[in-house]
Amino acid sequence: MIEIKDLVKTYNENTIPVHALNHVNLEIKEGEFTAVVGPSGCGKTTFLNILGGLDKPTSGNIFIDGTNLHDRSSSDMITYRRDNIGFVFQDYSLMPVLTAEENVEFIMELQGRSKKDRKARSQELLKAVGIADKGNQFPTKLSGGQQQRVAVARALASKPKLILADEPTANLDSKATSDLLDIMRHLNEKENITFVIATHDQRVMDRAKRVIQFDDGKIIDAK
Ligand code: ADP
Ligand code: ADP
């Protein structure tokens, strides 16, 4: 499904270069539930950002279902990302002025889906993440675990086959972490959604089907 070939990312090329990714090669198959691990600064976020089309590589290529991800204009990339990749972040990144339901509906609104259709889908998604009763709440009224569930529901809104999560459990207690992992594993198994999760969290590694270890911009282990 995803082929990563000789990926290099160098920041500050013209001053003091930082080699964040140093010739990374990897295949990620459909249906993987993969943890990307390694010490702070080893390149996990950079890797996820490039894999998700949020940033461009210095060199190298990523092929998703045979198509070169970064061979797109920036406007095509925005549409591609919106329709094909879900993102989950450490700080939830919900829009504070929108309710849980409106946060989930937002992408569908950009896609031009009808109000009725959006509402039905957002209710279905909030139910799938176990917070059907929180649709009218604003993010500040929700716990961290509940906010991250809204973020997962939002990531699912456009029916992506791939979800990228950057330290999704970093701010969650063990109960919320365990519940979130149950939800993500369930989506992985039931809907065959591929998950790639950058993490320091042993609890995530324990539930991953595959662990890819980075050090200093290189993959040192990928079982
Ligand atoms: P991790 O997610 O594993 O902590 P990052 O991908 O954030 O690693 O960072 C990898 C390396 O690239 C680090 O040395 C970091 O300081 C550097 N880096 C990350 N983003 C930038 C940036 N925008 N500009 C310059 N250096 C960066
Ligand atoms: P993480 O540990 O999740 O990678 P960081 O705190 O390292 O998060 O980075 C947060 C943000 O700061 C990222 O968007 C990253 O690209 C940017 N960043 C990290 N290191 C540098 C750096 N040396 N110079 C500029 N930006 C950086």
Side-chain angles (χ1 to χ4, degrees), residues 11-17:
Y11 294 107
N12 310 332
E13 269 188 294
N14 302 318
T15 53
I16 303 163

Side-chain angles (χ1 to χ4, degrees), residues 11-12 18-20 38-47 55 166 198 200:
Y11 294 107
N12 310 332
V18 177
H19 302 287
S40 191
C42 70
K44 301 184 295 295
T45 296
T46 301
F47 176 71
D55 198 0
D166 196 351
H200 280 100

